[in-house]
Amino acid sequence: MRIFRNAIVRRPCRAMTEGITSGLYPGRPDYELALAQHDAYIEALRRCCINVTVLPADEDYPDSCFVEDPAVLTERCAIITNPRAASRNGEKTYIEKAVREFYPGDRIEHITYPGTLC
């Protein structure tokens, strides 16, 4: 069984109410509820003895709390993605800084144009 020791999360930003959605969710997301749910998520990870790196909210990227999109982390390497949505593409620069705390440069790969991660 694989044991995870670290997690990277990013706080939801106020702009999250303007983020991308493909679901059939009624209405806009509730920012205050999202913060409370995010706090509970962090606490659940910590109860599992996981070290949590909490990145600050980034108002420039409404969907940036979904850190699994700009970076895919594996035991062997980290993959910095190239999000297809232009509104998310800049996130890869900021997540890579956090990823470098856990992976040496020779274990960080990049998906480059025209490749994307949908």
Side-chain angles (χ1 to χ4, degrees), residues 12-30:
C13 64
R14 289 192 178 279
M16 69 167 288
T17 61
E18 304 300 322
I20 301 168
T21 182
S22 59
L24 300 175
Y25 306 106
R28 285 183 129 70
D30 180 320

Side-chain angles (χ1 to χ4, degrees), residues 2 25 54 111-112:
R2 172 83 39 226
Y25 306 106
V54 181
I111 296 175
T112 59

Side-chain angles (χ1 to χ4, degrees), residues 15 18 24 28 33-34 46 51 67 76 80-81 84 88 97 99 104:
E18 304 300 322
L24 300 175
R28 285 183 129 70
L33 178 59
R46 289 182 172 148
N51 299 312
V67 296
R76 294 184 179 177
I80 305 302
T81 70
R84 182 172 58 177
R88 298 209 61 194
K97 291 176 185 174
V99 168

Side-chain angles (χ1 to χ4, degrees), residues 23-102:
L24 300 175
Y25 306 106
R28 285 183 129 70
D30 180 320
Y31 175 68
E32 295 301 325
L33 178 59
L35 287 178
Q37 291 171 335
H38 198 260
D39 288 339
Y41 174 59
I42 292 169
E43 182 56 30
L45 290 170
R46 289 182 172 148
R47 281 195 313 267
C48 293
C49 298
I50 294 175
N51 299 312
V52 183
T53 298
V54 181
L55 303 177
D58 188 338
E59 294 297 331
D60 291 334
Y61 299 100
D63 296 296
S64 60
C65 64
F66 301 106
V67 296
E68 66 278 8
D69 296 338
V72 177
L73 309 180
T74 74
E75 181 179 353
R76 294 184 179 177
C77 71
I79 303 164
I80 305 302
T81 70
N82 183 34
R84 182 172 58 177
S87 64
R88 298 209 61 194
N89 202 273
E91 292 176 41
K92 63 189 175 191
T93 302
Y94 300 107
I95 196 69
E96 185 168 351
K97 291 176 185 174
V99 168
R100 287 190 177 278
E101 295 294 319
F102 299 96

